[in-house]
Amino acid sequence: ARPFEMLTEMYGVPKYNEIDPTPIITFTYSFFFGFMLTDFMYGLIIAIIAALLVKGHRKFNDGTYKFAYTLLISSFFTMAMGVIFGSYFGNALDLAGLTVPRVWDTFQDALVVLQLALAIGIAHLFTGYTVGFIVKLRNGEIKDAVLDQLSWMLIILGLTFLFLASRDPGLSMPGKVLFGAGLVLFILSELKNGALAALLVISDFFGFVGSWLSYARLMALALATAGIAMVVNILTQMVWGVSIGPVPIGIVIGIILFAGGQLFSVAINALGAFVHSLRLQYVEFFGTFYSGEGKPFQPFRAKREVSELEFEA
């Protein structure tokens, strides 16, 4: 997880009384990156490039090495998600007439992908509030831990139970109890704001809903990746049979179009996955427990301002 400290430090260094989130975002950032890219061949291309950079810069341990290392780990998640969604340069194998095993199809099961994204988001937020609850308890801030962190933990658990109640009606009552208890604690936490309490209850609750819905970008970028790859494949298929007399020029144009288009898709979608994965860490996740207002550790040492030289004959 050490190279991922670069991502944490881009936001801020943890304080002494905080938990370092680097081990957590090592998994969540890489997983989100892979979920957004969701193509086995894209992950393989990134893995090859990142592995070469890691090998070449290992002895320097510089920013290039750390960044390439994060991409290398993320590429494994990308390839795994590509296998799950049966995506190899988009739907290239399907257009070639090959049967590709997949658990879900990005386009046909878009609603399922959205539900997965929102489930992942609520679990991510719950993790953040749980970490914040532990930190505040450890620092002796029991009241803030209960009102600011436990309240949202109970609300999330209540919403989860109510959602599962559609399959198991026995979970409906526990869900209502947990959601109600969390809502009461949340309202009590807002009463400290005096006259603005009512307004802030509405604002903060819908702010939480907005943060949760922000995880829909996992589905949106997965669809974008599959869509761009599909367009490249369709254009390649359209020009493949073009010929001028006996010369099958369409094959040459198709190969160039396919290679260039897919490389462009890798670059633009990898950039989007990198940015939006960071955003989910910095805005949604860190906002639940992390300040990042610490200072990097530096060993104590004397800093000489003036030196006197003595010369002996």
Side-chain angles (χ1 to χ4, degrees):
R2 181 169 296 173
F4 283 82
E5 289 179 349
M6 175 188 69
L7 302 181
T8 303
E9 292 172 356
M10 286 170 59
Y11 183 89
V13 178
K15 293 161 56 174
Y16 282 107
N17 59 353
E18 289 184 329
I19 291 179
D20 184 359
T22 303
I24 301 176
I25 70 171
T26 298
F27 171 77
T28 56
Y29 168 83
S30 303
F31 175 70
F32 291 166
F33 185 97
F35 197 108
M36 292 177 182
L37 210 52
T38 314
D39 191 287
F40 180 86
M41 298 307 296
Y42 288 7
L44 183 60
I45 292 173
I46 294 174
I48 293 172
I49 296 173
L52 293 174
L53 289 173
V54 167
K55 181 180 179 181
H57 288 261
R58 183 187 298 274
K59 60 183 179 180
F60 301 113
N61 195 30
D62 55 1
T64 301
Y65 166 76
K66 295 176 182 178
F67 179 70
Y69 184 92
T70 62
L71 286 182
L72 182 61
I73 301 300
S74 301
S75 67
F76 295 138
F77 284 88
T78 304
M79 289 188 282
M81 297 302 295
V83 172
I84 292 174
F85 286 92
S87 182
Y88 302 84
F89 286 133
N91 62 340
L93 297 184
D94 295 323
L95 294 178
L98 300 177
T99 302
V100 180
R102 54 171 56 90
V103 179
W104 296 293
D105 183 274
T106 310
F107 291 110
Q108 295 181 5
D109 301 312
L111 182 59
V112 176
V113 179
L114 176 60
Q115 292 174 345
L116 284 173
L118 293 179
I120 292 167
I122 203 73
H124 197 217
L125 291 173
F126 182 80
T127 302
Y129 284 117
T130 303
V131 173
F133 180 74
I134 295 172
V135 170
K136 288 185 177 181
L137 282 183
R138 192 177 66 179
N139 295 334
E141 303 171 12
I142 299 177
K143 181 180 177 181
D144 291 338
V146 172
L147 296 180
D148 297 337
Q149 307 295 326
L150 183 61
S151 58
W152 289 113
M153 294 167 62
L154 294 176
I155 289 174
I156 291 173
L157 287 175
L159 291 173
T160 303
F161 276 53
L162 290 173
F163 175 79
L164 297 176
S166 59
R167 299 183 179 181
D168 185 359
L171 297 175
S172 178
M173 183 55 66
K176 293 177 180 179
V177 172
L178 290 172
F179 182 81
L183 192 60
V184 169
L185 291 176
F186 167 64
I187 294 174
L188 290 176
S189 70
E190 296 291 356
L191 291 178
K192 61 187 178 184
N193 296 306
L196 296 176
L199 181 61
L200 290 176
V201 165
I202 299 174
S203 174
D204 290 346
F205 185 81
F206 282 100
F208 165 78
V209 174
S211 296
W212 179 27
L213 294 179
S214 181
Y215 286 85
R217 71 186 65 241
L218 293 172
M219 180 269 291
L221 267 75
L223 287 175
T225 302
I228 294 176
M230 182 181 67
V231 169
V232 173
N233 294 334
I234 292 175
L235 292 175
T236 302
Q237 192 179 42
M238 289 173 60
V239 303
W240 193 262
V242 176
S243 61
I244 300 179
V247 181
I249 191 173
I251 296 178
V252 177
I253 297 176
I255 292 174
I256 296 174
L257 180 61
F258 180 81
Q262 295 294 353
L263 287 177
F264 168 78
S265 181
V266 172
I268 194 68
N269 287 300
L271 177 61
F274 172 77
V275 171
H276 287 282
S277 296
L278 278 184
R279 183 241 151 79
L280 290 177
Q281 310 301 326
Y282 291 169
V283 179
E284 279 72 26
F285 185 59
F286 283 0
T288 60
F289 72 98
Y290 186 63
S291 69
E293 297 176 352
K295 296 181 179 180
F297 171 75
Q298 294 180 346
F300 178 77
R301 61 192 177 95
K303 184 178 180 181
R304 186 182 297 276
E305 298 290 346
V306 178
S307 298
E308 293 184 359
L309 301 180
E310 295 183 1
F311 295 94
E312 294 184 359

